[in-house]
């Protein structure tokens, strides 16, 4: 029977179910739409997040590149970085209030330039050194077309670290193997491999952090000699301040020498036993390159002339502005032809001075050959003994160049008589540079009268036994002189130079540019020509190792290990051909650098050079005064030379390292220290016996950048004293000697930096028969270089970028 009050229940139930299903379906649709919206928002947020991060990375990289190219960028150059944000689809860089969302802020000086402060570097490869740091804050806001927005901020510091804050730095392999105790101090770094050894019974002490990008080798010298013979001394490496630990022969990064297997315990040794104070590339060491390298230039370009007709100052200003040729307060240039000098960038219009008679500077004369009465002269009568052209230019405080050739030469251009005979007026004590010297025992009243003054002068020349002999095995009683060892130099009187800069010698010196001191650049390319008749700035004689001739090292005609000094993978021999032929044997066109037959000391001293054997000699540099800045800090002096430099006598130290000094550096192809007792004449009369070149105690205070030789496998010369032949001489011989020091003291304080292989002074390292006997080395790092205000002028800088903070900004007004 049908009950009336239950009618329609099924319909109502069905409707309720339909309503419920509709609600559920609506909820489902709402949930899906919400998830889709949330996913879109999340996608926009991710897109804007990564776009902001990309902007920070690009701005950081751009700033780092700018500082690599220009160690002192302008505000305009930094601001220009903010005009090129990343180009990403659906994204723009706009700040919350409008305007650019790609910004960089930094403190500025009163003149509006980025402000750098001297601080200790907290992290990175330069940790613990004092660098010039500029803080930057980068803020990047990325916004998508759908409204997603992320704002990020990064703080960082650009760091400039002076190369002289390293005790020892090397671009190539670095070697330690001193016989006596050796303890220099300061940080040590090499971009190559590090060879650590010490003479029997002695101690090598590394008191600061040591890093090598390559391997750390304890078992061999870099010429292959096994250190278990003659080099079993102790090598101590710092573990913490004031503490050290001997590094065993089994504790290098390799089990043996280069090419051997990795030492599996090296990481524990490097990071554990030594607390990271000795590292290689496997345990955190990084390359350190000068900005030049990032511009496809080479470190040696610091001292090289720019190319002729290059207009490098406008076409490649980043490289040009780092050359000492460009940075100089005074530059001294010599070449065979006036066109060689007139084609250089930024040269002044005044013509170079021809160094032949008549000179036209007062009553001064240039020496000439007098073969008709002296058969030691091998050139025709009247031939100039100096020759070539000279151009001297001053850069003023507005960076404008001025020719001062006549002004400098007017002070005099001749050096003293080595026999110390007085009475000839040919020497002027105020002369700044000297292109020749009075001959031995010149005539008087004055120099024999005005009719023959040109015959009273000889070239400036010394004999460098290391450059002359191929092997260090000649009898000390042998008087042979090899033409490759006859070095002709220009003499620079450092004290007179300082007097001129300071104004004590009247002239334009006081107008020279002075940024913490003065820079002098020197380049002498006379008799430097390759087969294409082009100057190269290189000796051009690479055939000097020749292991096939153990006893004599006669040229082989083949490129062998250790000979390719310019790394062009070919044997250069153009420097073996005389550039001034026309003389009489043995100085004729048949002469070669290894020629010695019939060459007498008198011939070598009197005649013009026929090979590219040029140098700069620094004299009278014991004490000098360049003035001081407003804080009382003495102005410093940097000498940069494309040629080898010989430092004669005490330099920047008067028999002690006291407060009476200047911040000095010498940057050259090679640096040789000559004692106070050195006499050029003795180097010719005793070419193969250091006993005839006896040194005296001498002091030198200066940072040094120079080259060294390419190592090659040891040649067994049947002499235990030649076990280091084939090395570059090691750190203890990086500064060269030519005398019998015989236990006498050589005191050196500075920083030792090697950035390239020698291109001119390419003679292999040799000791100790013919070249020198070692001094009592008192070497030490000059800790004053850790204070940037006490660095030599225009010290090269390494650059780095340290990130100090990172955050995502949530509030739009922050």
């Amino acid at each position: 029977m049908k009950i009336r009050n239950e009618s329609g229940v099924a319909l109502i139930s069905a409707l309720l179910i339909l309503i419920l299903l509709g609600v559920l379906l609506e909820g489902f649709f709402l949930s899906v739409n919400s998830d889709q919206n949330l996913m879109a928002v999340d996608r926009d947020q991710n897109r804007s997040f990564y776009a902001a991060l990309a902007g920070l990375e690009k701005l950081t990289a751009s700033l780092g590149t700018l500082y690599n190219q220009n160690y002192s960028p302008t505000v305009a150059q930094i601001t220009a970085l903010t005009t090129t944000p990343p180009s990403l689809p659906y994204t723009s860089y706009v700040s919350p209030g409008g305007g650019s969302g790609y910004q960089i802020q930094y403190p500025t000086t009163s003149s509006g330039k980025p402000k750098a402060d001297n601080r200790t570097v907290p992290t990175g490869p330069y940790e613990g050194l004092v660098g010039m740091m500029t803080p930057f804050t980068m803020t990047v806001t990325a916004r998508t077309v759908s409204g997603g927005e992320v704002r990020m901020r990064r703080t960082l510091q650009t760091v400039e670290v002076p190369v002289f804050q390293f005790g020892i730095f090397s671009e190539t392999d670095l070697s330690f193997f001193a016989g006596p105790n050796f303890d220099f101090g300061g940080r040590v770094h090499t971009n190559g491999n590090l060879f650590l050894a010490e003479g029997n019974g002695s101690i090598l002490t590394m008191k600061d952090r040591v890093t090598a990008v390559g391997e750390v080798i304890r078992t061999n010298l870099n010429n292959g000699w096994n250190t278990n013979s003659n080099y079993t001394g102790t090598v101590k490496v710092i573990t913490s301040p004031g503490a050290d630990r001997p590094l065993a022969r089994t504790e290098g990064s390799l089990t043996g020498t280069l090419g051997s297997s990795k030492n599996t315990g090296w990481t524990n040794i490097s990071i554990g036993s030594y607390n990271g104070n000795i590292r290689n590339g496997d345990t955190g060491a990084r390359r350190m390159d000068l900005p030049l390298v990032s511009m496809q230039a080479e470190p040696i370009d610091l001292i090289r002339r720019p190319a002729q007709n290059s207009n490098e100052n406008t076409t490649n200003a980043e490289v040009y502005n780092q050359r000492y040729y460009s940075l100089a307060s005074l530059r001294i240039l010599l070449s065979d032809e006036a066109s060689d000098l007139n084609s250089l960038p930024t040269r002044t219009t005044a013509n170079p001075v021809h160094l032949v008679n008549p000179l036209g500077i007062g009553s001064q004369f240039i020496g000439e050959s007098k073969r008709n009465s002296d058969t030691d002269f091998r050139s025709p009568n009247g031939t100039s003994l100096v020759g070539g052209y000279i151009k001297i230019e001053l850069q003023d405080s507005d960076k404008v160049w001025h020719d001062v050739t006549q002004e400098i030469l007017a002070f005099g251009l001749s050096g003293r008589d080595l026999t110390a005979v007085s009475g000839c007026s040919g020497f002027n004590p105020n002369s700044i540079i000297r292109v020749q010297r009075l001959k031995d025992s010149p005539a008087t009243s004055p120099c024999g009268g005005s009719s023959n003054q040109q015959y009273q002068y000889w070239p400036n020349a010394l004999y460098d036994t290391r450059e002359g002999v191929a092997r260090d095995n000649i009898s000390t009683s042998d008087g042979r002189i090899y033409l490759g060892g006859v070095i002709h130099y220009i003499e620079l009187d450092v004290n007179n130079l300082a007097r001129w800069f300071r104004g004590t010698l009247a002239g334009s010196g006081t107008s020279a540019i002075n940024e913490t001191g003065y820079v002098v650049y020197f380049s002498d390319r006379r008799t430097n020509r390759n087969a294409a008749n082009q100057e190269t700035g290189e000796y051009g004689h690479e055939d000097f190792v020749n292991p096939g001739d153990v006893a004599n090292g006669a040229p082989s005609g083949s490129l062998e290990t250790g000979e390719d000094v310019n790394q062009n993978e070919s044997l250069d021999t153009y420097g073996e051909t005389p550039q001034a032929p026309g003389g009489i044997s043995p100085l004729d066109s048949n002469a070669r650098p290894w020629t010695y037959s019939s060459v007498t000391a008198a011939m070598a001293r009197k005649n013009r050079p026929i090979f590219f054997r040029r140098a700069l000699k620094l004299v009278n540099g014991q004490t000098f005064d360049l003035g001081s800045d407003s804080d009382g800090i003495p102005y410093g002096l940097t000498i940069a030379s494309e040629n080898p430099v010989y430092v004669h006598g005490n330099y920047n130290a008067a028999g002690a390292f006291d407060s009476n000094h200047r911040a000095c550096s010498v940057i050259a192809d090679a640096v040789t220290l000559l004692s106070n007792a050195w006499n050029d004449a003795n180097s010719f009369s005793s070419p193969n016996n250091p006993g005839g070149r006896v040194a005296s105690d001498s002091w030198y205070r200066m940072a040094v950048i120079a080259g060294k030789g390419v190592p090659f496998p040891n040649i067994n010369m049947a002499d235990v004293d030649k076990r280091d032949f084939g090395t570059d001489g090691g750190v203890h011989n990086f500064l060269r000697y030519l005398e019998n020091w015989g236990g006498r003291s050589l005191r050196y304080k500075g920083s030792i930096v090697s950035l390239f292989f020698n291109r001119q002074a390419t003679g292999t390292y040799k000791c100790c028969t013919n070249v020198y006997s070692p001094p009592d080395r008192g070497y030490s790092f000059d800790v004053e270089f850790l204070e940037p205000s006490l660095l030599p002028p225009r010290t090269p800088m390494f650059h780095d970028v340290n990130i100090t903070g990172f955050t995502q900004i949530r509030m739009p007004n922050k």
Side-chain angles (χ1 to χ4, degrees), residues 337-574:
E337 303 294 338
S339 59
D340 296 328
L341 303 175
N342 287 335
S343 58
L344 295 173
T346 68
R347 70 98 180 175
T348 58
T349 57
N351 286 323
V353 170
H354 196 191
L355 292 175
V356 297
N357 287 327
L359 187 57
I361 301 176
S363 60
Q364 300 181 76
F365 286 79
I366 290 291
E368 291 183 2
S369 172
K370 196 178 182 182
R371 174 151 181 79
N372 59 354
S373 61
D374 185 347
T375 57
D376 287 331
F377 288 106
R378 312 308 288 170
S379 299
N381 200 52
T383 300
S384 173
L385 301 180
V386 178
Y389 289 80
I390 186 170
K391 188 168 179 59
I392 308 174
E393 297 173 314
L394 173 146
Q395 183 173 202
D396 67 22
S397 56
D398 294 323
K399 298 186 177 180
V400 177
W401 289 96
H402 307 269
D403 186 274
V404 292
T405 310
Q406 296 280 352
E407 178 180 331
I408 295 295
L409 295 183
F411 288 113
L413 48 76
S414 303
R416 295 180 182 277
D417 162 27
L418 296 182
T419 60
V421 172
S422 60
C424 179
S425 63
F427 169 73
N428 191 312
N430 291 327
S431 57
I432 295 173
I433 69 165
R434 299 164 189 137
V435 302
Q436 61 185 8
R437 66 171 187 80
L438 286 165
K439 70 177 186 178
D440 291 355
S441 304
T444 57
S445 301
C447 297
S450 59
S451 61
N452 65 352
Q453 284 192 42
Q454 65 268 33
Y455 301 130
Q456 305 301 315
Y457 300 96
W458 291 347
N460 287 329
L462 60 82
Y463 187 70
D464 187 325
T465 307
R466 172 170 173 166
E467 295 299 307
V469 299
R471 299 286 190 263
D472 191 40
N473 59 1
I474 299 173
S475 169
T476 56
S477 62
D478 194 325
R480 72 180 69 175
I481 293 172
Y482 294 85
L483 293 180
V486 180
I487 309 297
H488 286 75
Y489 63 84
I490 299 294
E491 188 170 276
L492 177 64
D493 190 303
V494 176
N495 187 58
N496 286 347
L497 172 72
R499 294 169 62 209
W500 181 71
F501 278 137
R502 201 171 69 250
T504 304
L505 288 181
S508 55
T510 55
S511 65
I513 188 170
N514 169 9
E515 296 191 7
T516 74
Y518 300 89
V519 176
V520 175
Y521 175 77
F522 177 84
S523 172
D524 186 350
R525 289 188 174 183
R526 290 173 298 166
T527 57
N528 173 220
R529 287 286 191 274
N530 63 12
N533 198 36
Q534 299 170 327
E535 292 182 332
T536 66
E538 300 179 358
Y539 184 13
H541 167 49
E542 292 184 333
D543 201 355
F544 53 77
V545 172
N546 311 315
D549 185 357
V550 174
N552 304 303
S556 66
S558 300
L559 182 65
E560 289 151 338
T561 302
E563 294 180 335
D564 190 12
V565 297
N566 57 13
Q567 308 291 283
N568 67 354
E569 299 181 356
S570 64
L571 183 69
D572 293 327
T573 60
Y574 59 85

Side-chain angles (χ1 to χ4, degrees), residues 44-56:
D44 273 354
Q45 286 297 104
N46 284 338
R47 179 174 289 161
S48 56
F49 176 88
Y50 288 111
L53 186 60
L56 282 179

Side-chain angles (χ1 to χ4, degrees), residues 608-652:
R608 61 180 179 174
I610 60 176
F611 297 110
F612 181 45
R613 304 271 70 193
R614 303 289 184 175
L616 175 69
K617 186 199 268 193
L618 305 181
V619 301
N620 199 18
Q622 177 171 295
T623 57
F624 50 91
D625 183 8
L626 291 158
S628 302
D629 65 14
S630 58
D631 294 323
I633 298 175
Y635 291 132
L637 179 65
T638 291
I639 304 292
S641 170
E642 188 178 34
N643 307 88
V645 167
Y646 295 82
V647 183
H648 185 170
N650 291 349
Y651 192 83
N652 196 31

Side-chain angles (χ1 to χ4, degrees), residues 59 62-63 66-67 70 72-83 102-108 112-115 134 136 138 158:
L59 195 52
S62 298
L63 184 67
L66 176 61
Y67 266 86
N70 186 345
S72 182
T74 64
V75 169
Q77 289 172 316
I78 296 174
T79 301
L81 303 179
T82 65
T83 63
Y102 197 65
Q103 301 176 351
I104 183 170
Q105 295 85 32
Y106 48 91
T108 58
K113 295 182 179 180
K115 182 180 180 181
T134 304
F136 290 88
M138 299 174 174
T158 58

